[in-house]
């Protein structure tokens, strides 16, 4: 392996290093004098300019190499739980198609027996479950009881909880259930559609900080951000990476934790 690495290094050493100015000059030459910014620069709908190439020196801020972490993307689907039997069938059908995470909106509280029906033939320790809605707290508590009845380890249950009572729930369950995030930040669906990516980042961080200050002994890097991804993928990828950087700067500047190498979204 070391010999192959040395061969690659020797190969690249035979090519001179080119500056950005030299690359631009070559592009202009190939375009025969045409304005390369009009021909090759993509102006996204949100005002972000996507250049035809980028170089490391264009971005002095350091980002952690994401390749050193396990992939953190999950296939998630939202379910409005009005009927537990029909929702159970929908969840199981989605799981057979590759679903990994369910987001449950519960307008009403479910009893333990109803939650059992909701997750009938579903391995709750194998999926991530996100809880929201007015009936989330009682249903969430019932699910924890079901997990205990099934003999599941507490650290095998994964997910997040969004409800006004999250500080009390974090104090009650946070230590015993380390893979459930009680510190979350989200923006209303109707409001987020009116905001550009920069405004979304600013508001998410403000909400995250406000929620963090409501909790005792919470890890600021254990936050779960909820955001929406649009069709302008380059802009959305930039938004996700920028959110991590901005939140890390806030955490570091306030002295409440180390700058995170990754965040959950």
């Amino acid at each position: 392996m070391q010999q192959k690495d040395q061969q690659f290094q020797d190969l690249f050493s035979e090519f001179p290093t080119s500056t950005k100015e030299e690359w631009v000059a070559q592009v202009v030459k190939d375009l025969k004098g045409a304005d390369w910014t009009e021909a090759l620069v993509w102006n996204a709908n949100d005002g972000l300019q996507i250049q035809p190439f980028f170089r490391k020196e264009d971005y002095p801020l350091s980002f952690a190499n994401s390749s050193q972490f396990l992939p953190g993307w999950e296939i998630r689907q939202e379910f409005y739980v009005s009927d537990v039997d029909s929702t159970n069938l929908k969840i199981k059908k989605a799981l057979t198609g590759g679903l990994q995470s369910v987001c449950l909106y519960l307008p009403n509280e479910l009893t333990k027996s109803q939650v059992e029906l909701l997750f009938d033939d579903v391995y709750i320790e194998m999926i991530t479950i996100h809880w929201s809605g007015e009936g989330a707290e009682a249903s969430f508590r019932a699910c924890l009881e079901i997990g205990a009845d099934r003999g599941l380890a507490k650290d095998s249950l994964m997910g997040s909880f969004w409800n006004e009572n999250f500080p009390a729930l974090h104090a009650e369950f946070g230590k015993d259930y380390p893979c459930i995030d009680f510190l979350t930040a989200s923006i209303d669906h109707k409001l987020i559609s009116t905001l550009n990516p920069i405004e979304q980042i600013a508001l998410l961080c403000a909400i995250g900080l406000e929620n963090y200050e409501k909790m005792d002994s919470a890890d600021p890097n254990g936050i779960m951000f909820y955001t929406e991804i649009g069709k302008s993928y380059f802009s959305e990828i930039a938004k996700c990476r920028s959110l991590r950087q901005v939140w890390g700067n806030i955490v570091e500047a306030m002295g409440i934790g180390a700058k995170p190498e990754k965040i959950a979204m």
Side-chain angles (χ1 to χ4, degrees):
M1 181 63 72
Q2 293 180 349
Q3 183 178 2
K4 288 185 177 180
D5 290 341
Q6 185 62 46
Q7 289 176 347
F8 279 119
Q9 292 177 7
D10 294 341
L11 173 63
F12 289 122
S13 66
E14 297 179 8
F15 296 91
T17 302
S18 300
T19 65
K20 182 176 181 178
E21 289 73 20
E22 290 173 327
W23 273 97
V24 172
Q26 185 62 49
V27 170
V28 172
K29 179 181 178 181
D30 292 342
L31 291 175
K32 299 180 180 180
D35 188 345
W36 74 285
T37 58
E38 291 186 5
L40 300 178
V41 176
W42 173 30
N43 293 292
N45 293 333
D46 51 24
L48 183 67
Q49 286 191 333
I50 310 300
Q51 302 293 327
F53 62 87
F54 295 89
R55 292 175 63 91
K56 185 176 181 180
E57 60 263 27
D58 295 332
Y59 300 92
L61 292 177
S62 61
F63 290 92
N65 181 7
S66 59
S67 63
Q68 63 184 297
F69 304 112
L70 293 175
W73 298 103
E74 290 182 329
I75 302 174
R76 191 187 83 171
Q77 183 173 333
E78 296 184 357
F79 298 90
Y80 183 91
V81 185
S82 58
D83 177 78
V84 292
D85 291 316
S86 62
T87 304
N88 171 258
L89 293 176
K90 293 176 182 177
I91 291 175
K92 288 189 290 188
K93 181 180 179 180
L95 288 172
T96 60
L99 187 71
Q100 300 166 301
S101 174
V102 299
C103 182
L104 303 175
Y105 181 83
L106 299 121
N108 302 303
E109 295 182 355
L110 299 182
T111 64
K112 182 178 178 180
S113 60
Q114 288 177 312
V115 177
E116 287 177 333
L117 290 174
L118 180 64
F119 293 120
D120 183 45
D121 289 331
V122 175
Y123 294 96
I124 57 176
E125 72 275 21
M126 300 297 293
I127 59 175
T128 306
I129 306 173
H130 304 282
W131 305 82
S132 64
E134 296 179 1
E137 181 175 345
S139 308
F140 168 74
R141 290 178 179 274
C143 184
L144 297 186
E145 291 182 20
I146 293 170
D149 293 343
R150 295 184 182 183
L152 302 177
K154 292 181 178 180
D155 60 1
S156 69
L157 299 180
M158 304 170 290
S160 67
F161 184 88
W162 177 247
N163 182 281
E164 293 181 355
N165 197 33
F166 67 88
L169 287 171
H170 172 263
E172 184 177 355
F173 297 111
K175 292 183 179 179
D176 291 334
Y177 293 89
C179 295
I180 297 178
D181 295 315
F182 295 93
L183 176 58
T184 60
S186 64
I187 304 175
D188 180 80
H189 290 288
K190 294 181 180 179
L191 175 59
I192 200 170
S193 63
T194 66
L195 304 176
N196 64 42
I198 296 176
E199 293 169 333
Q200 292 178 35
I201 292 171
L203 185 54
L204 279 170
C205 288
I207 294 172
L209 185 59
E210 180 182 4
N211 290 343
Y212 168 78
E213 292 176 342
K214 295 178 181 178
M215 304 173 71
D216 293 327
S217 67
D219 179 6
N221 293 333
I223 190 170
M224 171 74 75
F225 287 101
Y226 288 89
T227 186
E228 297 183 358
I229 302 297
K231 296 180 179 180
S232 182
Y233 296 118
F234 286 104
S235 300
E236 298 300 334
I237 292 171
K239 180 180 74 176
C240 293
R241 298 193 70 180
S242 298
L243 175 59
R244 183 189 66 181
Q245 187 73 28
V246 173
W247 179 251
N249 289 342
I250 292 173
V251 169
E252 189 175 52
M254 295 188 65
I256 56 178
K259 183 176 290 189
E261 295 177 322
K262 59 180 179 178
I263 58 174
M265 302 181 67

